[in-house]
Amino acid sequence: MFDLDLRSRQPIYEQLVEKFKELIISEVLKPDEQLPSVRTLASQLTINPNTIQKAYRELERQGYIYSIPGKGNFVARVARKGNAEKLARLREELVKILSEAIYLGMKKEEIIKIISEVDVLITGGEKNDRS
């Protein structure tokens, strides 16, 4: 389920956060689905339970999961309307990244191909016009 690089400069908890976000965004983990307990995941990955807890706290802070005391952690439902601020930040980041990619020689067609690949990955090939 998780492929962590223990020799990476990126902290393990950040790697966990990114992996969980990928699973949630690609809908491998569905809304309201329970995540593995801290203790279970720590023993499966053979890492400190505090590292798992830190990743879960960060995911909750970012709005990807919610916790119910005594029950566990669950995947949050996406509040598409409340994401205006986050979408504005992502748009700014995309403009910076795309500007650099074009400056370094990436062609418009390559960028469009990447966007199409991500769209298929996320939507599972559904034909939706979201514009």
Side-chain angles (χ1 to χ4, degrees):
M1 185 175 191
F2 295 100
D3 188 25
L4 300 175
D5 182 1
L6 302 177
R7 288 183 258 167
S8 171
R9 289 180 166 259
Q10 185 181 28
I12 293 171
Y13 88 93
E14 286 181 5
Q15 292 180 50
L16 278 169
V17 168
E18 293 305 314
K19 297 294 180 187
F20 270 114
K21 285 167 68 171
E22 283 177 26
L23 293 171
I24 292 168
I25 290 168
S26 62
E27 295 184 349
V28 172
L29 294 173
K30 307 283 186 218
D32 299 319
E33 183 175 338
Q34 186 169 10
L35 300 178
S37 72
V38 171
R39 195 172 294 165
T40 301
L41 193 56
S43 67
Q44 286 176 354
L45 299 175
T46 62
I47 57 177
N48 190 313
N50 292 330
T51 303
I52 307 291
Q53 188 59 42
K54 187 172 184 179
Y56 279 1
R57 273 196 311 269
E58 180 60 22
L59 286 164
E60 188 170 7
R61 189 189 68 75
Q62 292 181 19
Y64 286 92
I65 68 171
Y66 64 94
S67 63
I68 298 175
K71 300 279 187 196
N73 296 290
F74 300 84
V75 176
R77 293 193 174 277
V78 178
R80 300 206 187 272
K81 294 176 183 159
N83 289 335
E85 185 179 315
K86 188 169 188 173
L87 286 172
R89 281 195 315 267
L90 285 172
R91 187 180 194 289
E92 288 176 20
E93 289 178 40
L94 270 172
V95 168
K96 290 176 189 175
I97 291 168
L98 292 172
S99 298
E100 185 174 357
I102 291 169
Y103 175 78
L104 294 173
M106 186 176 278
K107 302 289 182 219
K108 178 181 175 181
E109 294 77 22
E110 291 176 86
I111 294 170
I112 292 170
K113 183 177 180 228
I114 292 168
I115 292 169
S116 296
E117 290 170 359
V118 170
D119 187 51
V120 167
L121 180 72
I122 298 301
T123 63
E126 296 173 10
K127 294 288 183 186
N128 292 336
D129 185 16
R130 293 186 208 120
S131 25

